[in-house]
Every structure is written in structure tokens, then in C-alpha cells.
Amino acid sequence: MQKQQRLDRLKLQLIQWVGGQAEKVEQVLARLKLAGIQHDDTHPFDFVNGLRGLKEALEDPLGKYLDFRTGSIPAQLNFDGYKQWLIHIKAYADANEPTVDPRRSAWDKLTQAEVMVATLARTQGEAQASRLVQERAERLINSFQAAREAVLGRLYSDVKDRFVELYKKLHHPDERAFSAELETTDTGVKLAVDFHGREMSSPLAFHSEGHQDSMGICLFLALSERVLGTSLGFRVLDDVVMSVDSGHRQRVADLLAELGGELQFVVTTHDRVWMSQLRSAGAVKSKGITQLLSWSVDTGPLKQCVGDFWDEIEQHLGAGRVQSAAASLRHGLESFLGFAAEKLAARVKYSIEGRVEFGDLYLAVTDQYKDLLKRATRAARSWNQADKVAELEDLENRRIAARQNVNEDTWMVNPTVHFNAWNNLAPAEFRPIVASYKALCEVLECPTCGGVVTLVRDGMTESTLACRCNGVSYTLRQNGG
């Protein structure tokens, strides 16, 4: 195999040499013709043709080369005739070589030297200018990098703790030990985060897309707080929870509600569930919701203001659509009571299929709220807080009245949602049912911020019954307890 490779390599070298010799002879013939020199070109043409034939034979050694070697290769190439022709041409060239004037030769060399010196001087000048540009560029990039390190490094150091704090709020208690590192790099910023006690690494290594999205939200909020402060009183969030699961979407809504005291958030989303969560969390009021129905280049967006489900119910009743009003009532109550059950830590009947009926939510929320109000009243009495006791007793009386009215009218809701031939309730007859449920929901809400009253824990201890703005705030801890 090695011998074959060596033969192939030598064959290629020989083919290239033979072809090159033929081209050189042809070039000499062309120049002689151009100069008008008369000579017998039979021998050189025979030599060139012989070289071409030898090249073709070498390209196919097992076929044509065997035929080519029927005689002597120099004879086939007419080498002797070609040699005599070369001697003749050389003698002619020597006899007719033009004489060169030494002064002319010296002048030509001086002219060439002058051009070369000028070129050298110009090149040296360009090199010096290029070095100056390079030095300035290096100083500029070094100054920029140093300033960036100082400014951005300090910025990332300042926002790191706030970023970690916000992320822990969204993912508590799973990420209670979460930590992060923010560092500048030549091309941007390096973010490394902890994953349940493992080494610091990129979020892409272990965290899901939803966790990465929530990190982006927290980093944006932390950076905007540090950079903008209160100079810009609003923030725009465009569909920021597309990959965040429903449980954490609720926590994002709670976080925005918590931060919304000093900031206005402009939120866009196509997710109706998150819109409801934002409204239930108090991050946005119903009158602040706008729905884009359609859009075109000619007319722009077609929008309408979106009220809460009570407004929707009233629209149906105003048009005489009692069955639609009942459906909106049931759907809206299930959404509201589901949110209230989470905020109050209500004990909802377990279903292996994950299905929760309206009645299960209703009983779990009202029973839990009743128990919490009793505990808060006992705690207020133990602290001699007469004003709190009065507030709680008034709240309890409203709760009792609202639940009693609901219990009396509940029988009408389900048969109204589904078609029944005997069901012929008029809008005026259905409005008291709506009023009863609305009064019950209002008992669970803060009259100031509109947020649902929440059971607040201190570690594992249930400590307070409060809303987001603390307009409603009742301790559950008794004096001396």
C-alpha cells in the first residue's frame, strides 16, 4: 500500500513536470512569433506534441503508457532535433542582445530607488498613524471597560440582594435558601444561581423555563427600582408569565399588588386566568382593565372596558338573559372563592381528579372565615382592644346575614344555569340572589384596597388576618398565649 501511494505521488509529480515543460516551449514559440523572428519550428512542435503524448500516457499507465514505450522515449520526443533548435535560438539571442548604456541603467535604478524611498516614507507615516489610532482605541476601550466595571459592577452588587428577595417571595418555601451572583463580563452580564444547595451555575443548567421567566421578572423589577427609583412612576410588563405555572402566576400577581403602592404597572396579557388573578390580588381594579377585541391597520384597536363579573351579570339581566347571568355568577364565584380559599388556607374537600365543586369551595371558605373571625375576636378581647372587638363583631354580623341570605336563595342558582322547562325566573327575581352573593364576597374583601383578606403566617404559626394594605388587620395571637 505504501509503495502504491509513493508511485502515485511520483507519477503526479512527473505529469506536472512534463506538462510544465510543454507550456514553456509554447511560450518561447509565441514570443518568437510576436518578435517576428524567422526560424524552423518543426522540431519544437514535435517535442511539444511528444510531451503531450507522454503526459497522457502517464495519466493512464496501464493502458496508454505501454503503447507509448514501443520505442525510445527521447526518439519519440525528437529530443535531438529539439536540442539543436535550442542551440540555434540561443546563438541568435546572444548575437542580437541589445547593449545597455551604463548611464541609462544607473538612471533607471535611481528612478526606481526614488519610488521605493517615497513608498517607504508613506508606509512609515501610515504605520505611525495606525499605531496612534490603535493606542487611542486601546485607551478608550480600557477606560470604557473600567467605567463599565465600576458602574455596572456596583449596580449588580446593589440589586443582587433585592433580586434574591423578590425571587424568594415568588418561590417560597421551595427556594428559601436561594442565592445568586451577578457579575459583568466582556460581552454583558453573568448570572449564576443556586439550585437547592448545589454549586452556583447558569439558570439554564437546572431551572425550568417558568423559573427562568420569573427570574427575569424579579431582575427587571430590582433593576428598575435601583435605576429609575421614583423618577418614573410606572412599569410596563408585556405578557411576562407565558411560561410560568398557575400557582406562581398567582404569586406574581400578589407581588405586583404589594409593589403597586408606589408604582403603577401597565400589564398586557392574553391569559384570562392571570387577569382574574391580578384583579383578585388587588393588583388592578376592574375599571382599570381594558380588553382589545380586534385590531386593524385602518381602524386601530377596538377596545372595551372590562368590569368584574358583577357588571357582566348586570348586563345580562338588563338584557333579560337570566340563564346567562346565572352562568356568569357561578363562574365568577368559583374563581373568587378559589382565590379566597388559598388566601384563607381553607380546607377544601379533596378530589383525586382535582375537581372542586362550587359547594365545596363555598362551605370551606365560609367555615374557615367564621373560625378565623372568632379567633381574632378572642385575641382582641385578650388585648383589651375594644375598637377591634367592635369591628370584628360588626364583620361577623355581616357575615352571618350574608350567609343566611345566600342559603335561602342558593336553590335557584343551579337550575337557572342549566336549561329547565319549568324555570322562568325574571331578572327582578334573580337580582336578590346576586345581591346576597355579592354581600358575602364583600365581607371577605378589604373596603379600601379591594383585596381578599388573607391568613398571614409567622413561620408555621397563623399570626394575623389582614389585607394587602393593612386596612384590615387583626391579630390571632392572644395576650399571654
Side-chain angles (χ1 to χ4, degrees):
M1 185 65 180
Q2 293 180 349
K3 292 182 178 180
Q4 180 64 45
Q5 293 176 348
R6 184 169 181 271
L7 285 173
D8 290 340
R9 185 170 62 254
L10 293 174
K11 180 187 74 172
L12 180 61
Q13 293 175 354
L14 187 56
I15 290 173
Q16 292 175 344
W17 184 85
V18 170
Q21 294 302 312
E23 291 177 358
K24 289 179 180 179
V25 176
E26 290 176 336
Q27 291 174 3
V28 172
L29 290 173
R31 291 180 180 180
L32 290 173
K33 182 177 180 181
L34 184 63
I37 299 174
Q38 300 296 325
H39 66 97
D40 183 4
D41 57 7
T42 303
H43 297 306
F45 272 118
D46 289 344
F47 183 69
V48 169
N49 292 333
L51 290 175
R52 298 293 186 193
L54 177 59
K55 181 175 178 293
E56 292 177 0
L58 289 171
E59 290 173 347
D60 184 15
L62 298 180
K64 297 181 180 179
Y65 186 69
L66 294 176
D67 296 336
F68 189 85
R69 289 191 57 194
T70 55
S72 170
I73 291 180
Q76 287 182 294
L77 296 177
N78 191 17
F79 185 74
D80 291 338
Y82 173 68
K83 184 178 179 180
Q84 292 300 321
W85 176 79
L86 282 178
I87 293 172
H88 172 71
I89 292 300
K90 185 177 184 305
Y92 180 84
D94 292 340
N96 293 277
E97 181 179 5
T99 58
V100 179
D101 185 356
R103 292 178 298 176
R104 179 65 184 180
S105 177
W107 176 262
D108 291 342
K109 290 179 180 180
L110 286 173
T111 303
Q112 293 174 1
E114 182 182 12
V115 173
M116 294 174 66
V117 169
T119 303
L120 176 60
R122 184 179 67 256
T123 304
Q124 288 176 335
E126 292 174 352
Q128 184 177 0
S130 298
R131 282 194 298 271
L132 181 60
V133 171
Q134 180 184 3
E135 291 172 359
R136 290 175 176 175
E138 288 177 350
R139 287 197 296 268
L140 180 61
I141 189 64
N142 291 336
S143 299
F144 167 75
Q145 290 176 344
R148 184 187 63 184
E149 289 289 337
V151 175
L152 292 183
R154 184 170 60 251
L155 172 63
Y156 293 140
S157 176
D158 291 344
V159 304
K160 183 190 71 173
D161 292 341
R162 181 58 170 163
F163 162 68
V164 171
E165 177 189 355
L166 295 176
Y167 185 79
K168 284 182 177 179
K169 285 185 177 181
L170 292 187
H171 296 276
H172 182 80
D174 295 339
E175 298 274 12
R176 61 168 59 92
F178 177 79
S179 61
E181 294 176 353
L182 280 167
E183 299 176 353
T184 57
T185 66
D186 290 340
T187 57
V189 59
K190 175 185 176 183
L191 172 61
V193 295
D194 168 72
F195 182 75
H196 298 282
R198 290 171 171 78
E199 64 180 17
M200 304 294 285
S201 59
S202 168
L204 300 175
F206 297 108
H207 287 82
S208 67
E209 185 177 356
H211 282 72
Q212 294 172 36
D213 282 357
S214 62
M215 284 184 199
I217 296 172
C218 294
L219 186 56
F220 167 76
L221 293 174
L223 283 170
S224 64
E225 283 182 5
R226 176 63 180 80
V227 175
L228 300 175
T230 58
S231 61
L232 186 65
F234 69 92
R235 306 287 187 268
V236 179
L237 302 175
D238 181 20
D239 240 342
V240 294
V241 294
M242 291 182 62
S243 300
V244 180
D245 59 86
S246 58
H248 290 108
R249 275 182 290 175
Q250 180 61 67
R251 294 186 182 180
V252 174
D254 294 339
L255 180 61
L256 295 183
E258 177 184 333
L259 300 176
E262 299 180 356
L263 290 175
Q264 177 186 7
F265 287 98
V266 180
V267 182
T268 64
T269 181
H270 66 279
D271 189 338
R272 290 182 174 273
V273 174
W274 197 45
M275 180 194 72
S276 299
Q277 291 173 327
L278 287 167
R279 183 169 57 192
S280 299
V284 61
K285 296 188 181 299
S286 299
K287 63 181 180 180
I289 301 175
T290 300
Q291 181 181 8
L292 299 182
L293 301 177
S294 64
W295 182 90
S296 69
V297 176
D298 296 329
T299 64
L302 177 62
K303 65 180 182 178
Q304 71 171 8
C305 295
V306 180
D308 54 24
F309 65 95
W310 305 112
D311 296 334
E312 183 180 329
I313 292 169
E314 183 56 37
Q315 290 177 5
H316 287 311
L317 292 178
R321 299 188 295 266
V322 177
Q323 187 172 354
S324 298
S328 296
L329 176 61
R330 184 180 180 91
H331 182 270
L333 287 172
E334 285 180 349
S335 175
F336 177 83
L337 291 175
F339 181 73
E342 179 181 0
K343 291 299 183 182
L344 296 172
R347 297 170 178 82
V348 183
K349 181 180 177 182
Y350 173 74
S351 169
I352 196 170
E353 297 179 353
R355 297 177 59 185
V356 180
E357 299 293 337
F358 168 75
D360 298 329
L361 287 170
Y362 170 73
L363 292 175
V365 170
T366 53
D367 288 348
Q368 174 73 340
Y369 197 49
K370 173 183 176 182
D371 178 66
L372 291 172
L373 289 178
K374 286 182 178 179
R375 290 171 57 189
T377 303
R378 288 196 298 268
R381 286 198 177 100
S382 72
W383 291 98
N384 295 321
Q385 297 175 329
D387 55 339
K388 294 289 186 181
V389 172
E391 291 178 12
L392 287 163
E393 288 178 345
D394 178 66
L395 192 57
E396 173 64 8
N397 291 333
R398 289 170 53 205
R399 185 199 65 78
I400 293 173
R403 181 163 180 176
Q404 183 178 355
N405 291 335
V406 166
N407 290 341
E408 291 176 356
D409 296 332
T410 299
W411 68 272
M412 291 190 225
V413 178
N414 282 341
T416 309
V417 174
H418 306 290
F419 175 76
N420 292 278
W422 54 267
N423 180 23
N424 58 357
L425 286 178
E429 295 173 299
F430 193 71
R431 280 193 172 92
I433 303 173
V434 177
S436 298
Y437 277 109
K438 187 174 183 180
L440 179 64
C441 292
E442 289 174 348
V443 171
L444 296 166
E445 295 176 328
C446 169
T448 303
C449 66
V452 174
V453 178
T454 303
L455 175 59
V456 181
R457 297 178 183 272
D458 183 7
M460 297 299 294
T461 304
E462 297 175 349
S463 63
T464 312
L465 190 62
C467 70
R468 175 175 56 84
C469 73
N470 283 325
V472 174
S473 180
Y474 305 109
T475 181
L476 299 177
R477 293 175 174 173
Q478 296 189 37
N479 186 10

